[in-house]
């Protein structure tokens, strides 16, 4: 069934066409482009990429809604989840958020932690998009008291100086460019983007490089089976080096990863033979990554088994792996909901709170599709991790 997508405006079409022409010129000059490079160009080309241009990304006016944009319940649970870690590390503890989105998580989280008397020494946002930085600044200036806002800083690069505290990453890895592979007659090929007879983008399968071949063969060995002919999926070859760089300076604390995805045994099921690559345009999901470069959000699910291996290689301990629903429920979701529900007699507010809970926890929404992985460094005995032991699913990794 063909998905009917909203028509972009004239300015949007011109914007997309400009990026399309830039990518096409690169292909004409250098030859076919690995899909991972195409995805990177679509998302991060300065001034033109999805995350680098000025259109609204998050919330009802954008292309998708993340958990923090639903309301304050998600941030209240995050605050409760990391409070023991911040308390154990003391007043020098910091928070680093990867990709600050609209700024909603930072604002709600800082307010919740301030109320609990556990305000971090600083709240640092690693945000490469100048446009999103400005949106975050405006949002935080409106939401936070001056004393709290002064603790927020934006980073131009991953910190190199040693620090301790919490790394937060909500829907970050799904936006990392992914290589696409396909099996043909037992050989590993890589998907490239080329130009067709009419100048349109089209896929082209070419021999995969040694690193991708090795990664696919290692994945087959881990799964205990070979991929069938024609099987197509994704791998993020840079994940291990990226995670190591992100967490290298973290000397003690937690890294909290929330994203949609699966353990490898479910990600690479035989029936999931076209991978998980998706495009989003104005809350419509579709499968054409060539639709509107720069306007569509391109994304692929997270292989949490791969993330766990990358964490161990980076010297981190995989402490907890569970569903978002179970993680939030063990992080006080019910008590936060009840407190806010009883604060008001406005039925519209009460219904909105109930809708938040539903979208955050129900399997058909974010509850089971989103997973949470907690990575630890140093002595984590005082971080309260036992709260999630009953729902820990590390055995599935």
């Amino acid at each position: 069934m063909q998905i009917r997508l909203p028509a972009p405006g004239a300015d949007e079409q011109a914007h997309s066409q400009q990026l399309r022409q830039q990518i096409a010129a690169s292909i004409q000059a250098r030859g076919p482009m690995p899909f991972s490079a195409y995805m990177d160009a679509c998302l991060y080309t300065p001034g033109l990429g999805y995350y680098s241009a000025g259109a609204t990304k998050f919330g009802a006016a954008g292309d998708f809604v993340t958990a923090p944009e639903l309301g304050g319940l998600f941030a209240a649970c995050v605050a409760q989840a990391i409070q023991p870690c911040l308390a154990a590390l003391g007043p020098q503890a910091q928070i680093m958020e990867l990709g600050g989105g609209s700024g909603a998580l930072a604002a709600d989280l800082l307010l919740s932690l301030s109320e609990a008397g556990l305000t971090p020494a600083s709240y640092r946002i690693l945000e490469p998009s100048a446009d999103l930085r400005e949106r975050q600044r405006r949002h935080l200036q409106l939401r936070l008291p001056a004393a709290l806002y002064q603790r927020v800083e934006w980073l131009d690069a991953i910190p190199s100086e040693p620090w301790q505290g919490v790394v937060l990453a909500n829907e970050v890895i799904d936006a990392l460019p992914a290589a696409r592979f396909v099996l043909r007659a037992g050989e590993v090929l890589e998907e490239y983007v080329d130009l067709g007879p009419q100048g349109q983008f089209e896929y082209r399968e070419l021999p995969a490089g040694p690193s991708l071949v090795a990664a696919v063969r290692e994945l087959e060995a881990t799964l205990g089976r070979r991929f069938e002919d024609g099987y197509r999926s994704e791998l993020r070859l840079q994940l291990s080096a990226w995670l190591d760089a992100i967490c290298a300076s973290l000397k003690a604390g937690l890294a909290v990863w929330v994203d949609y995805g699966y353990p490898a045994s479910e990600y690479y099921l035989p029936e999931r033979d076209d991978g998980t690559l998706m495009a989003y345009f104005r809350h419509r999901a579709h499968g054409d990554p060539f639709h509107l470069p720069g306007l569509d959000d391109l994304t692929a699910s997270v292989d949490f088994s791969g993330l766990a291996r990358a964490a161990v290689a980076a010297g981190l301990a995989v402490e907890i792996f569970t569903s978002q629903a179970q993680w939030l429920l063990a992080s006080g979701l019910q008590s936060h909901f009840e407190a806010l529900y009883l604060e008001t007699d406005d039925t519209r507010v009460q219904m909105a709170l109930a809708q938040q809970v539903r979208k955050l926890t129900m399997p058909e929404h974010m509850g089971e599709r989103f997973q949470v992985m907690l990575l630890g460094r140093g002595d984590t005995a005082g971080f309260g991790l036992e709260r999630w032991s009953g729902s820990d699913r590390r055995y599935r990794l």
Side-chain angles (χ1 to χ4, degrees):
M1 182 180 68
Q2 188 174 7
I3 298 173
R4 296 186 63 181
L5 298 172
D11 289 345
E12 290 177 311
Q13 291 186 43
H15 176 103
S16 181
Q17 184 63 18
Q18 187 177 352
L19 179 56
R20 183 184 294 273
Q21 290 171 348
Q22 185 170 316
I23 296 172
S26 177
I27 294 172
Q28 288 173 334
R30 301 177 180 86
M33 173 183 292
F35 181 81
S36 57
Y38 172 81
M39 184 174 175
D40 184 77
C42 287
L43 296 179
Y44 302 110
T45 296
L48 294 174
Y50 182 80
Y51 286 107
S52 304
T56 300
K57 314 312 189 281
F58 310 97
D63 299 297
F64 56 89
V65 177
T66 64
E69 271 79 43
L70 294 173
L73 287 175
F74 180 81
C77 292
V78 174
Q80 186 163 324
I82 65 175
Q83 280 177 28
C85 175
L86 296 177
L89 294 175
Q92 73 276 22
Q94 299 172 296
I95 293 175
M96 181 173 71
E97 183 182 358
L98 308 183
S102 67
L105 178 58
D108 289 333
L109 185 56
L110 279 167
L111 289 170
S112 292
L113 290 173
S114 177
E115 289 178 8
L118 285 168
T119 307
S122 66
Y123 192 106
R124 301 184 292 180
I125 302 176
L126 184 61
E127 177 58 72
S129 168
D131 172 69
L132 288 177
R133 282 190 183 201
E134 186 55 36
R135 292 171 187 260
Q136 292 157 14
R137 282 195 181 95
R138 292 198 299 266
H139 183 79
L140 292 169
Q141 283 176 328
L142 287 172
R143 293 285 313 282
L144 297 178
L148 270 184
Y149 179 75
Q150 289 173 0
R151 302 204 181 200
V152 182
E153 60 179 290
W154 281 263
L155 302 177
D156 294 316
I158 300 168
S160 57
E161 76 283 357
W163 67 284
Q164 50 188 7
V166 177
V167 176
L168 294 176
N170 181 58
E171 293 195 52
V172 171
I173 296 178
D174 65 86
L176 292 181
R180 294 268 289 174
F181 69 88
V182 61
L183 276 294
R184 299 291 184 197
E187 298 299 318
V188 180
L189 303 180
E190 182 173 2
E191 281 193 342
Y192 281 67
V193 178
D194 203 355
L195 298 177
Q198 308 302 318
Q200 77 278 15
F201 292 140
E202 62 181 23
Y203 286 119
R204 185 175 177 188
E205 297 172 2
L206 295 173
S211 59
L212 182 57
V213 173
V216 172
R217 296 309 184 199
E218 182 181 351
L219 182 57
E220 288 178 322
T222 300
L223 296 172
R225 58 178 169 81
R226 288 276 187 168
F227 291 121
E228 295 291 330
D229 189 62
Y231 192 91
R232 190 184 319 270
S233 196
E234 311 90 20
L235 274 167
R236 290 183 171 91
L237 298 178
Q238 81 280 34
L239 181 60
S240 185
W242 180 82
L243 180 65
D244 187 37
I246 289 291
C247 295
S249 58
L250 178 68
K251 298 308 176 186
L254 285 177
V256 182
W257 303 91
V258 184
D259 223 317
Y260 47 91
Y262 317 89
S265 60
E266 297 173 29
Y267 194 117
Y268 300 104
L269 284 169
E271 57 267 34
R272 191 170 282 123
D273 58 2
D274 196 34
T276 67
L277 178 69
M278 292 297 293
Y280 288 86
F281 182 66
R282 294 183 189 167
H283 298 276
R284 305 293 213 294
H286 64 94
D288 182 8
F290 305 143
H291 171 240
L292 288 171
L295 298 183
D296 284 331
D297 177 30
L298 304 184
T299 177
S301 296
V302 176
D303 170 12
F304 277 93
S305 298
L307 178 59
R309 289 194 301 272
V312 172
L316 297 158
V318 181
E319 303 284 357
I320 295 291
F321 174 63
T322 188
S323 68
Q324 176 173 289
Q326 292 296 325
W327 187 69
L328 292 175
L329 288 168
S331 301
L333 179 62
Q334 182 173 345
S335 60
H336 293 304
F337 166 75
E338 290 174 351
L340 292 172
Y341 191 93
L342 295 173
E343 279 182 4
T344 180
D345 293 326
D346 189 330
T347 56
R348 291 172 300 178
V349 174
Q350 292 173 334
M351 289 178 64
L353 286 167
Q355 277 293 94
Q356 275 190 68
V357 173
R358 181 170 180 268
K359 290 180 178 178
L360 289 170
T361 61
M362 295 300 288
E364 66 269 24
H365 292 288
M366 294 180 174
E368 288 294 326
R369 197 163 68 93
F370 279 67
Q371 315 296 326
V372 179
M373 181 173 281
L374 303 186
L375 306 177
R377 176 161 278 158
D379 182 4
T380 61
F383 293 178
L385 301 177
E386 62 276 2
R387 287 170 291 173
W388 302 290
S389 59
S391 61
D392 188 15
R393 300 177 177 178
R394 281 178 293 177
Y395 64 90
R396 292 172 58 189
L397 294 171

